[in-house]
């Protein structure tokens, strides 16, 4: 990342509550850091319907160097079932990395792990039907941790 970002100019609402760090993000591109605390990403307008023609990307980086990876757990998920609205996870810094999964409708894995320090997420929608979207948490975990 070049320079610094003035968070007051971005449309972010950030809250800190005990060990849960909650991030509500509008679309665009966001660089996020996974720590040992859970961070929650919600689709725009969640739990209300997301907007049409969205193109959101998040790049998540494990805070700790060394043998930490990113773990994602789904809390809620409902997109258009025809997969015209889709949430994709990539095992690296961007969408040129290996695709870990592409999800729509109500089908999603219980957990997703990156194989390295970075995980990229892309959310795209068409101009038709919208649903409430998604709510997932991510955290940094030590590589080799029992996957549960």
């Amino acid at each position: 990342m070049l320079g610094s970002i003035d968070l007051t100019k971005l449309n972010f609402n950030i809250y800190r509550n005990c060990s849960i760090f909650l991030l509500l993000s509008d679309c665009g591109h966001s660089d996020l850091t996974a720590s040992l605390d859970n961070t929650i990403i919600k689709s725009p307008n969640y739990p209300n319907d997301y907007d049409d023609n969205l193109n959101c990307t998040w790049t998540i980086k494990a805070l700790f160097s060394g043998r930490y990876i990113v773990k994602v757990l789904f809390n809620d998920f409902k997109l258009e079932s025809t997969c015209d609205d889709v949430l994709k996870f990539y095992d690296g810094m961007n969408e040129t990395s290996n695709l870990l999964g592409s999800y729509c409708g109500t089908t999603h894995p219980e957990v997703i792990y990156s194989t390295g320090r970075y995980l990229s997420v892309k959310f795209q929608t068409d101009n038709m039907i919208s649903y409430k979207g998604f709510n997932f948490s991510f955290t940094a975990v030590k590589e080799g941790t029992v996957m549960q």
Side-chain angles (χ1 to χ4, degrees):
M1 177 169 34
L2 299 173
S4 62
I5 296 175
D6 181 357
L7 291 178
T8 62
K9 296 190 190 277
L10 298 176
N11 194 8
F12 283 102
N13 295 310
I14 300 175
Y15 305 92
R16 181 104 174 139
N17 183 0
C18 300
S19 66
I20 302 297
F21 183 79
L22 176 61
L23 171 69
L24 305 175
S25 174
D26 285 335
C27 276
H29 178 84
S30 299
D31 291 318
L32 305 173
T33 302
S35 68
L36 298 178
D37 292 331
N38 286 318
T39 301
I40 297 174
I41 296 180
K42 298 178 180 186
S43 54
N45 304 326
Y46 180 89
N48 298 315
D49 292 353
Y50 49 80
D51 294 326
D52 293 337
N53 301 311
L54 294 176
N55 187 16
C56 311
T57 59
W58 297 272
T59 302
I60 303 168
K61 173 183 165 184
L63 175 64
F64 310 102
S65 60
R67 304 180 84 59
Y68 280 85
I69 59 174
V70 179
K71 176 183 179 181
V72 171
L73 289 172
F74 282 89
N75 303 312
D76 197 10
F77 187 83
K78 186 171 184 181
L79 305 181
E80 190 175 357
S81 61
T82 60
C83 294
D84 293 325
D85 300 342
V86 64
L87 184 65
K88 296 180 180 182
F89 291 84
Y90 297 92
D91 193 19
M93 295 179 69
N94 54 47
E95 60 190 276
T96 62
S97 304
N98 290 332
L99 179 67
L100 292 173
S102 181
Y103 307 102
C104 58
T106 57
T107 304
H108 62 81
E110 186 174 326
V111 63
I112 295 172
Y113 290 95
S114 66
T115 61
R117 192 173 181 192
Y118 291 92
L119 180 75
S120 294
V121 183
K122 184 170 184 110
F123 178 48
Q124 289 182 286
T125 67
D126 65 3
N127 63 350
M128 303 293 274
I129 302 167
S130 295
Y131 290 94
K132 69 178 174 178
F134 57 84
N135 171 334
F136 66 82
S137 61
F138 65 88
T139 187
V141 296
K142 190 83 168 167
E143 189 177 73
T145 301
V146 176
M147 296 185 178
Q148 31 182 316

